[in-house]
């Protein structure tokens, strides 16, 4: 019965997602990486670095490096931030340069933050990578010339 239920449920899935976006934890320490409205969060400049290596020791495994700087500006309701991010998986490399701006509206006991973020992204796929070459070589199809 379970096997039949699993097989039947597989036909109802229409989308599958793999690890194409960063899979980072430590949200409490790096909030502005995900949400630019947190950029001036705090009273001091925050600089953080994140390094993540998945499946260590396996060639082409996912890897992420992030450098993030958040700078509150006086008056303390404006903030700027800068982030450099590099992600690699297999033959693909993604490099992002991100600038962030945020504005806080302070009330008596709470504050509401608004954020704006702009980025430049570079994708590189290295099709000359040795891992893509056939081990035994290959022959051209004689019908294609």
């Amino acid at each position: 019965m379970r096997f039949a239920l699993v097989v039947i449920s597989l036909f109802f899935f229409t989308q599958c997602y793999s690890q194409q976006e960063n899979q980072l934890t430590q949200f409490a320490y790096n909030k502005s990486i995900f949400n630019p409205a947190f950029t001036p969060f705090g009273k001091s400049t925050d600089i953080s670095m994140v390094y993540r290596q998945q499946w260590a020791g396996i060639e082409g495994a996912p890897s992420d490096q992030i450098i993030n700087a958040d700078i509150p500006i006086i008056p303390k309701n404006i903030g700027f931030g800068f982030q450099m991010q590099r992600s690699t998986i297999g033959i693909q490399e993604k490099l992002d340069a991100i600038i962030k701006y945020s504005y806080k509206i302070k009330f008596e006991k709470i504050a509401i933050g608004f954020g704006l973020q702009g980025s430049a992204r570079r994708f590189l796929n290295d099709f000359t990578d040795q891992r893509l070459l056939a081990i035994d070589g290959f022959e051209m199809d004689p019908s294609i010339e």
Side-chain angles (χ1 to χ4, degrees):
M1 179 65 180
R2 275 190 197 173
F3 179 73
L5 183 60
V6 169
V7 171
I8 291 170
S9 67
L10 288 176
F11 290 108
F12 292 106
F13 290 113
T14 58
Q15 292 181 344
C16 294
Y17 296 99
S18 63
Q19 295 179 356
Q20 296 300 315
E21 292 297 322
N22 296 329
Q23 302 291 319
L24 301 172
T25 58
Q26 310 297 328
F27 176 74
Y29 304 111
N30 299 300
K31 292 180 180 180
S32 71
I33 289 175
F34 300 102
N35 186 351
F38 280 105
T39 298
F41 191 72
K43 297 180 180 178
S44 62
T45 299
D46 295 328
I47 298 174
S48 62
M49 293 187 281
V50 176
Y51 176 80
R52 178 184 171 268
Q53 176 74 44
Q54 186 175 338
W55 309 329
I58 296 176
E59 189 176 354
S63 176
D64 297 299
Q65 300 87 37
I66 300 173
I67 297 174
N68 188 54
D70 297 326
I71 305 162
I73 304 295
I74 298 173
K76 297 193 185 300
N77 58 345
I78 297 174
F80 291 100
F82 180 74
Q83 180 178 322
M84 288 293 294
Q85 182 173 334
R86 179 179 175 264
S87 299
T88 60
I89 182 169
I91 65 166
Q92 185 180 71
E93 177 185 35
K94 180 178 76 167
L95 184 64
D96 293 327
I98 300 168
I99 56 171
K100 299 176 276 186
Y101 168 80
S102 68
Y103 183 79
K104 267 190 182 175
I105 299 173
K106 296 181 181 180
F107 297 102
E108 288 183 22
K109 295 183 180 181
I110 62 170
I112 297 175
F114 300 93
L116 184 63
Q117 175 174 302
S119 65
R121 177 174 287 176
R122 180 188 76 130
F123 277 110
L124 176 68
N125 289 315
D126 185 9
F127 293 110
T128 63
D129 192 300
Q130 293 295 323
R131 293 173 288 179
L132 295 177
L133 299 178
I135 296 172
D136 297 329
F138 61 92
E139 294 181 20
M140 293 298 292
D141 188 344
S143 63
I144 302 175
E145 299 216 15

